[in-house]
Amino acid sequence: MSDQDRLAQFGARVFIDQRGLFEWRPISMTARAKLNFYDRVLRPDPSRTVVRPFEPNYPRDFDGGTSRTQETVDLIVALDEAELARQLKGVTLSLDENHRDVDAMLLRRFNDIAGRIEGADRITVEQQRLIGAYCSEEFAYEAAALFNPSAVLHPDQSGLPVGTIRFVMSLRGIGEGHVSSVTFRTGTWTPGGALLVDDPSPTSVSPLIDTCGRGEGIAARLCCAGSRTISETVLFPVLPSQTQGIEDTRLVRFCEDDGSISYHGTYTAFGGGQVRSELLSTADFRSFEMRVLTGQASSGKGMALFPRRIAGKYAMLGRQDSKNIWLHFSDELLNWAGGEKLITPKFPWEFVQMGNCGSPIEIDEGWLVMTHGVGTVRNYCIGACLLDKNDPSKLLARTPRPVLAPSPHERDGYVPNVVYSCGVIVHDRTMLLPYGVADSFTAFATASIDNLLSVME
């Protein structure tokens, strides 16, 4: 079967652009959607590394008498001055190229574990630095993949030409052990014109982590004041619930009833055996709070917060049954129980399951929701629907055909047959759609809101 024939099952003719991505032109004249693609592609870069905590341990069922960390410390303390100096020089040469303030970073790491070290008060500064190095690891957090982006308006919109906006984008990076972290990019976009994604800094900075938590539901506070640009910030797993990753952050610029602005990001915390939804919150992308979501709905993936309250309540899309899109309301930001089915699979490209591709976007006609559908051979496609602005439990229209589907020329990757997004931007009646391809890299497209609405039924 040819690529054209294979894709005809979706009811569409496909026109390939120069990058191998394509525009859907459905056979039915009632469902004619048009996407425009940018050449800009973000690919994983194994040279981008962050230094994160590490401690040697014995296997779970083995009793070694003392901790391996203490045993390692004892070996370090026994080194003579010449060998200690040689080891420290090697550490500095290794880390200085990609990291700044290496000595201070290693001393902070020593202070993190000093309470568990015997005789810590007798250890010299040089020994502390080397102990900090032995209890750290350099992690290439996007070596395998960089995908599933989510974009929101940047807090600073000053100094831009008329019609241009500045945005912040979160991405899911995958490194060693299939561990997912959150990384960020910034850029500017002019609807109908240029898209500029700023080159990331060569330096990545580990946040200062406080996992004690204070306040309702706070599991961790992350201070990223050491980052000179947003692209230097990396949020890697810090809680037991996240040991295998922080996945698919859906950012939303949230406006409270009093006009105050904050940024929230729902994400999937994967602990290796169980998943749960958690919430990342920030006012400035320089410090973050990680909070645990509770209630039945929080046990699933793919929750997406509406950008404002509706009739005094928080509203959320969810997918706790791994099949349908659900709608939830709550008086509390962190507690999500009950809910009702909102959108169920109807068309062949979404028969297996549906979900959202990010938080709803408020437009004049209602709430625009980008959706994903899973069909044959576990193909992930992107569609859209429209909800009533005053009562989002009312589904007004939806796309009968995918807006975007895996390209025959770029279908291969870490997970083949997937296009997926975690959040779009709408400005001047145009949508910027950043999306992941094959769970491997990130590409960008735009669409007219008017055209998108016209293909809905």
Side-chain angles (χ1 to χ4, degrees), residues 18-75:
Q18 61 182 349
R19 293 191 302 110
L21 299 171
F22 61 81
E23 167 191 333
W24 281 92
R25 294 186 182 176
I27 294 170
S28 169
M29 294 304 292
T30 63
R32 185 180 178 88
K34 180 177 176 60
L35 292 182
N36 296 305
F37 297 94
Y38 285 103
D39 289 333
R40 189 70 160 100
V41 172
L42 305 182
R43 296 189 181 275
D45 181 357
S47 72
R48 304 201 74 218
T49 63
V50 66
V51 177
R52 65 178 187 176
F54 162 80
E55 282 193 63
N57 291 295
Y58 282 110
R60 181 181 301 174
D61 297 328
F62 182 82
D63 183 4
T66 59
S67 74
R68 285 187 63 190
T69 299
Q70 183 65 52
E71 292 171 355
T72 304
V73 168
D74 293 341
L75 292 170

Coordinates of all heavy atoms in Angstrom, one line a residue, residues 18-75:
Q18 N 8.3 20.6 1.6 CA 9.7 20.3 1.4 C 10.4 19.7 2.6 O 11.4 19.0 2.5 CB 10.5 21.6 1.1 CG 10.4 22.7 2.2 CD 11.2 23.9 1.8 OE1 11.8 24.0 0.8 NE2 11.0 25.0 2.6
R19 N 9.8 19.7 3.8 CA 10.4 19.1 5.0 C 9.8 17.7 5.2 O 10.1 17.1 6.2 CB 10.1 20.0 6.2 CG 10.9 21.3 6.2 CD 10.9 21.9 7.6 NE 9.5 22.2 8.0 CZ 8.9 21.5 9.0 NH1 9.5 20.6 9.6 NH2 7.7 21.9 9.4
G20 N 8.9 17.3 4.4 CA 8.3 16.0 4.6 C 7.0 16.1 5.4 O 6.3 15.1 5.6
L21 N 6.7 17.2 6.0 CA 5.5 17.4 6.8 C 4.4 17.7 5.7 O 4.7 18.1 4.6 CB 5.6 18.5 7.8 CG 6.7 18.2 8.9 CD1 6.9 19.4 9.8 CD2 6.3 17.0 9.7
F22 N 3.2 17.7 6.2 CA 2.1 17.8 5.1 C 0.9 18.5 5.6 O 0.7 18.7 6.8 CB 1.8 16.5 4.5 CG 1.2 15.5 5.6 CD1 -0.1 15.6 5.9 CD2 2.0 14.6 6.1 CE1 -0.7 14.8 6.9 CE2 1.4 13.7 7.1 CZ 0.1 13.8 7.4
E23 N 0.2 19.0 4.7 CA -1.1 19.6 4.9 C -2.2 18.7 4.6 O -2.2 18.0 3.5 CB -1.2 20.9 4.0 CG -2.6 21.5 3.9 CD -2.6 22.5 2.8 OE1 -1.5 23.0 2.4 OE2 -3.7 22.7 2.2
W24 N -3.2 18.6 5.5 CA -4.4 17.7 5.2 C -5.3 18.5 4.3 O -5.7 19.7 4.7 CB -5.1 17.4 6.5 CG -4.4 16.3 7.3 CD1 -3.5 16.4 8.2 CD2 -4.6 14.9 7.1 NE1 -3.1 15.2 8.7 CE2 -3.8 14.2 8.0 CE3 -5.5 14.1 6.3 CZ2 -3.7 12.9 8.1 CZ3 -5.4 12.8 6.4 CH2 -4.6 12.1 7.3
R25 N -5.8 17.9 3.2 CA -6.9 18.5 2.4 C -7.9 17.4 2.3 O -7.9 16.6 1.3 CB -6.3 19.0 1.1 CG -5.3 20.1 1.2 CD -4.9 20.7 -0.1 NE -3.9 21.7 0.0 CZ -3.3 22.3 -1.0 NH1 -3.6 21.9 -2.2 NH2 -2.5 23.3 -0.8
P26 N -8.8 17.4 3.2 CA -9.8 16.3 3.2 C -10.6 16.3 1.9 O -10.9 17.3 1.3 CB -10.7 16.6 4.4 CG -9.8 17.4 5.3 CD -9.0 18.2 4.4
I27 N -11.0 15.1 1.5 CA -11.8 14.9 0.3 C -13.1 15.6 0.4 O -13.6 16.2 -0.6 CB -12.0 13.4 0.0 CG1 -10.6 12.8 -0.3 CG2 -12.9 13.2 -1.2 CD1 -10.7 11.3 -0.4
S28 N -13.7 15.5 1.6 CA -15.0 16.2 1.8 C -14.8 17.7 1.8 O -14.0 18.3 2.5 CB -15.6 15.8 3.1 OG -16.7 16.6 3.4
M29 N -15.5 18.4 0.9 CA -15.4 19.9 0.9 C -15.9 20.6 2.1 O -15.7 21.8 2.3 CB -16.1 20.4 -0.4 CG -15.5 20.0 -1.7 SD -13.7 20.4 -1.8 CE -13.8 22.2 -1.9
T30 N -16.6 19.9 3.0 CA -17.1 20.5 4.2 C -16.0 20.4 5.3 O -16.2 20.8 6.4 CB -18.3 19.7 4.7 OG1 -18.0 18.3 5.0 CG2 -19.4 19.8 3.7
A31 N -14.8 19.8 5.0 CA -13.8 19.7 6.0 C -12.4 20.0 5.4 O -11.6 19.1 5.3 CB -13.8 18.3 6.6
R32 N -12.3 21.2 5.0 CA -11.0 21.6 4.3 C -10.2 22.4 5.2 O -10.4 23.6 5.5 CB -11.3 22.4 3.0 CG -10.1 22.7 2.2 CD -10.5 23.5 0.9 NE -9.4 23.9 0.1 CZ -8.8 23.1 -0.8 NH1 -9.4 21.9 -1.1 NH2 -7.8 23.5 -1.5
A33 N -9.1 21.8 5.8 CA -8.3 22.5 6.7 C -6.9 22.9 6.1 O -6.5 22.1 5.2 CB -8.0 21.7 8.0
K34 N -6.3 23.9 6.5 CA -5.0 24.3 5.9 C -4.1 24.7 7.0 O -4.3 25.5 7.9 CB -5.2 25.5 5.0 CG -3.9 26.0 4.3 CD -4.1 27.1 3.3 CE -2.8 27.7 2.8 NZ -2.1 26.6 2.0
L35 N -2.9 24.0 7.0 CA -1.8 24.4 7.9 C -0.6 24.9 7.1 O -0.4 24.5 5.9 CB -1.4 23.1 8.6 CG -2.3 22.5 9.7 CD1 -1.6 21.3 10.3 CD2 -2.7 23.5 10.7
N36 N 0.1 25.8 7.7 CA 1.3 26.3 7.1 C 2.4 25.9 8.1 O 2.3 26.0 9.3 CB 1.3 27.8 7.0 CG 0.3 28.3 6.0 OD1 0.3 27.9 4.8 ND2 -0.7 29.2 6.4
F37 N 3.6 25.4 7.5 CA 4.6 24.9 8.3 C 5.9 25.8 8.3 O 6.2 26.4 7.3 CB 5.0 23.5 7.8 CG 3.9 22.5 8.0 CD1 3.1 22.3 6.9 CD2 3.7 21.8 9.2 CE1 2.0 21.3 7.0 CE2 2.7 20.9 9.3 CZ 1.8 20.7 8.2
Y38 N 6.5 25.9 9.4 CA 7.8 26.6 9.5 C 8.9 25.6 9.3 O 8.8 24.4 9.6 CB 8.0 27.3 10.9 CG 7.1 28.5 11.0 CD1 5.9 28.5 11.8 CD2 7.5 29.7 10.5 CE1 5.2 29.6 11.9 CE2 6.8 30.9 10.6 CZ 5.6 30.8 11.3 OH 4.8 31.9 11.5
D39 N 10.1 26.1 8.8 CA 11.2 25.2 8.7 C 11.9 24.9 10.0 O 12.7 24.0 10.1 CB 12.3 25.8 7.7 CG 11.8 25.8 6.3 OD1 11.0 24.9 5.9 OD2 12.2 26.7 5.5
R40 N 11.6 25.7 11.0 CA 12.3 25.6 12.3 C 12.0 24.3 13.0 O 10.8 23.9 13.1 CB 11.9 26.8 13.2 CG 12.8 26.8 14.5 CD 14.2 27.3 14.3 NE 14.8 27.8 15.4 CZ 15.7 27.1 16.2 NH1 16.0 25.8 15.9 NH2 16.3 27.6 17.2
V41 N 13.0 23.5 13.3 CA 12.8 22.2 14.0 C 13.8 22.2 15.2 O 14.9 22.6 15.1 CB 13.1 21.0 13.1 CG1 13.1 19.7 13.8 CG2 12.1 21.0 11.9
L42 N 13.3 21.7 16.3 CA 14.1 21.6 17.5 C 14.4 20.1 17.7 O 13.5 19.3 17.9 CB 13.4 22.1 18.8 CG 12.9 23.5 18.7 CD1 12.2 23.9 20.0 CD2 14.0 24.5 18.4
R43 N 15.7 19.7 17.7 CA 16.1 18.4 17.9 C 16.9 18.2 19.2 O 17.5 19.1 19.7 CB 16.9 17.9 16.7 CG 16.1 17.9 15.4 CD 16.9 17.3 14.2 NE 16.2 17.3 13.0 CZ 15.2 16.4 12.6 NH1 15.0 15.4 13.4 NH2 14.6 16.6 11.5
P44 N 16.9 17.0 19.7 CA 17.6 16.7 21.0 C 19.1 17.0 20.8 O 19.7 16.7 19.7 CB 17.3 15.2 21.3 CG 16.8 14.6 20.0 CD 16.2 15.7 19.2
D45 N 19.7 17.5 21.9 CA 21.1 17.8 21.8 C 21.8 17.1 23.0 O 21.6 17.6 24.2 CB 21.3 19.3 21.9 CG 22.7 19.8 21.9 OD1 23.6 18.9 21.8 OD2 23.0 21.0 21.9
P46 N 22.6 16.1 22.8 CA 23.2 15.4 24.0 C 24.3 16.2 24.7 O 24.7 15.8 25.8 CB 23.8 14.1 23.3 CG 24.0 14.5 21.9 CD 22.8 15.4 21.5
S47 N 24.7 17.3 24.1 CA 25.7 18.1 24.8 C 25.1 19.0 25.9 O 25.8 19.5 26.7 CB 26.4 19.0 23.7 OG 25.5 20.1 23.3
R48 N 23.8 19.1 25.9 CA 23.1 19.9 27.0 C 23.0 19.0 28.2 O 22.2 18.0 28.2 CB 21.8 20.4 26.5 CG 21.9 21.2 25.2 CD 20.6 22.1 25.1 NE 20.7 23.2 26.0 CZ 19.7 23.8 26.7 NH1 18.5 23.2 26.6 NH2 19.9 24.8 27.5
T49 N 23.7 19.3 29.2 CA 23.7 18.5 30.4 C 23.5 19.3 31.7 O 23.7 20.5 31.7 CB 25.1 17.7 30.6 OG1 26.1 18.7 30.8 CG2 25.4 16.9 29.4
V50 N 22.9 18.7 32.7 CA 22.7 19.3 34.0 C 23.3 18.4 35.1 O 23.4 17.2 34.9 CB 21.2 19.5 34.3 CG1 20.5 18.2 34.4 CG2 21.0 20.4 35.5
V51 N 23.9 19.0 36.1 CA 24.4 18.3 37.2 C 23.3 18.1 38.3 O 22.8 19.0 38.8 CB 25.6 19.0 37.9 CG1 26.2 18.2 39.1 CG2 26.7 19.1 36.8
R52 N 23.0 16.8 38.6 CA 22.0 16.5 39.5 C 22.5 15.6 40.6 O 23.6 15.0 40.5 CB 20.8 15.8 38.8 CG 21.1 14.5 38.2 CD 19.9 13.9 37.5 NE 20.1 12.5 37.1 CZ 19.2 11.7 36.6 NH1 18.0 12.1 36.4 NH2 19.5 10.4 36.3
P53 N 21.8 15.5 41.7 CA 22.2 14.7 42.9 C 22.4 13.2 42.5 O 21.6 12.6 41.7 CB 21.1 14.9 43.9 CG 20.5 16.2 43.6 CD 20.5 16.2 42.1
F54 N 23.4 12.6 43.1 CA 23.6 11.1 43.0 C 24.2 10.6 44.3 O 25.0 11.3 44.9 CB 24.5 10.8 41.8 CG 25.2 9.5 41.9 CD1 24.5 8.4 41.4 CD2 26.5 9.3 42.3 CE1 25.0 7.1 41.5 CE2 27.0 8.0 42.4 CZ 26.3 6.9 42.0
E55 N 23.9 9.4 44.7 CA 24.5 8.8 45.8 C 24.7 7.3 45.6 O 23.7 6.6 45.1 CB 23.8 9.0 47.2 CG 23.9 10.3 47.8 CD 23.4 10.4 49.2 OE1 24.0 9.7 50.1 OE2 22.4 11.1 49.5
P56 N 25.9 6.7 45.8 CA 26.1 5.3 45.7 C 25.3 4.6 46.8 O 25.3 5.0 47.9 CB 27.6 5.1 45.8 CG 28.1 6.3 46.6 CD 27.1 7.4 46.2
N57 N 24.7 3.5 46.4 CA 23.9 2.7 47.4 C 24.2 1.2 47.2 O 24.5 0.8 46.0 CB 22.4 3.0 47.3 CG 22.1 4.4 47.8 OD1 22.2 4.7 48.9 ND2 21.6 5.2 46.9
Y58 N 24.0 0.4 48.2 CA 24.0 -1.0 48.1 C 22.6 -1.5 47.6 O 21.6 -0.7 47.7 CB 24.3 -1.7 49.4 CG 25.7 -1.7 49.8 CD1 26.2 -0.9 50.9 CD2 26.6 -2.5 49.1 CE1 27.5 -1.0 51.3 CE2 28.0 -2.5 49.5 CZ 28.4 -1.8 50.6 OH 29.7 -1.8 50.9
P59 N 22.5 -2.7 47.0 CA 21.2 -3.2 46.6 C 20.2 -3.2 47.8 O 20.7 -3.3 48.9 CB 21.5 -4.6 46.1 CG 22.9 -4.5 45.6 CD 23.6 -3.6 46.6
R60 N 19.0 -3.1 47.5 CA 18.0 -3.0 48.5 C 18.0 -4.0 49.6 O 17.9 -3.7 50.8 CB 16.6 -3.0 47.9 CG 15.4 -2.8 48.9 CD 14.1 -2.9 48.2 NE 14.0 -1.8 47.1 CZ 13.0 -1.7 46.3 NH1 12.0 -2.6 46.3 NH2 13.0 -0.8 45.4
D61 N 18.3 -5.3 49.2 CA 18.3 -6.4 50.2 C 19.6 -6.7 50.7 O 19.8 -7.8 51.4 CB 17.6 -7.6 49.5 CG 16.2 -7.4 49.1 OD1 15.5 -6.6 49.8 OD2 15.8 -8.0 48.1
F62 N 20.6 -5.9 50.5 CA 22.0 -6.2 51.0 C 22.3 -5.2 52.1 O 22.2 -4.0 52.0 CB 23.0 -6.0 49.8 CG 24.4 -6.3 50.2 CD1 24.8 -7.7 50.3 CD2 25.3 -5.3 50.6 CE1 26.1 -8.0 50.7 CE2 26.6 -5.6 51.0 CZ 27.0 -6.9 51.0
D63 N 22.8 -5.8 53.2 CA 23.2 -5.0 54.3 C 24.7 -4.9 54.3 O 25.5 -5.8 54.6 CB 22.7 -5.6 55.6 CG 23.1 -4.8 56.9 OD1 23.6 -3.7 56.7 OD2 22.8 -5.3 58.0
G64 N 25.2 -3.7 54.0 CA 26.7 -3.5 53.9 C 27.3 -3.0 55.2 O 28.5 -2.7 55.3
G65 N 26.4 -2.8 56.2 CA 26.9 -2.3 57.5 C 26.9 -0.8 57.6 O 26.2 -0.3 58.4
T66 N 27.7 -0.2 56.8 CA 27.6 1.3 56.7 C 27.1 1.7 55.3 O 27.1 0.9 54.4 CB 29.0 1.9 57.0 OG1 29.9 1.4 56.0 CG2 29.5 1.5 58.4
S67 N 26.8 3.0 55.2 CA 26.3 3.4 53.9 C 27.5 3.5 52.9 O 28.6 3.8 53.3 CB 25.7 4.8 54.0 OG 26.6 5.8 54.2
R68 N 27.2 3.3 51.6 CA 28.3 3.4 50.6 C 28.7 4.9 50.5 O 29.9 5.1 50.1 CB 27.8 2.9 49.3 CG 27.7 1.4 49.2 CD 27.4 0.9 47.8 NE 28.4 1.2 46.8 CZ 28.2 1.1 45.5 NH1 27.1 0.6 45.0 NH2 29.2 1.5 44.7
T69 N 27.8 5.8 50.7 CA 28.2 7.2 50.7 C 29.3 7.4 51.8 O 30.3 8.1 51.5 CB 27.0 8.1 51.0 OG1 26.1 7.9 50.0 CG2 27.4 9.6 51.0
Q70 N 29.1 6.9 53.0 CA 30.1 7.1 54.1 C 31.4 6.4 53.7 O 32.5 6.9 53.9 CB 29.6 6.5 55.4 CG 30.5 6.7 56.6 CD 30.7 8.2 56.9 OE1 29.8 8.9 57.1 NE2 32.0 8.6 57.0
E71 N 31.3 5.2 53.1 CA 32.5 4.5 52.7 C 33.3 5.3 51.7 O 34.5 5.3 51.7 CB 32.1 3.1 52.2 CG 31.6 2.2 53.3 CD 31.0 0.9 52.7 OE1 31.0 0.8 51.5 OE2 30.7 0.0 53.5
T72 N 32.6 5.9 50.7 CA 33.2 6.7 49.7 C 33.9 8.0 50.3 O 35.0 8.3 50.0 CB 32.2 7.2 48.6 OG1 31.5 6.0 48.1 CG2 32.8 7.9 47.5
V73 N 33.2 8.6 51.3 CA 33.7 9.7 52.0 C 35.0 9.4 52.7 O 36.0 10.1 52.6 CB 32.7 10.3 52.9 CG1 33.4 11.3 53.9 CG2 31.6 11.0 52.2
D74 N 35.0 8.2 53.3 CA 36.2 7.8 54.1 C 37.4 7.6 53.1 O 38.6 7.9 53.5 CB 36.0 6.5 54.8 CG 34.9 6.6 55.9 OD1 34.7 7.8 56.4 OD2 34.4 5.6 56.3
L75 N 37.2 7.1 51.9 CA 38.2 6.9 50.9 C 38.8 8.3 50.5 O 40.0 8.5 50.3 CB 37.7 6.1 49.7 CG 37.4 4.7 49.9 CD1 36.7 4.1 48.7 CD2 38.7 3.9 50.3

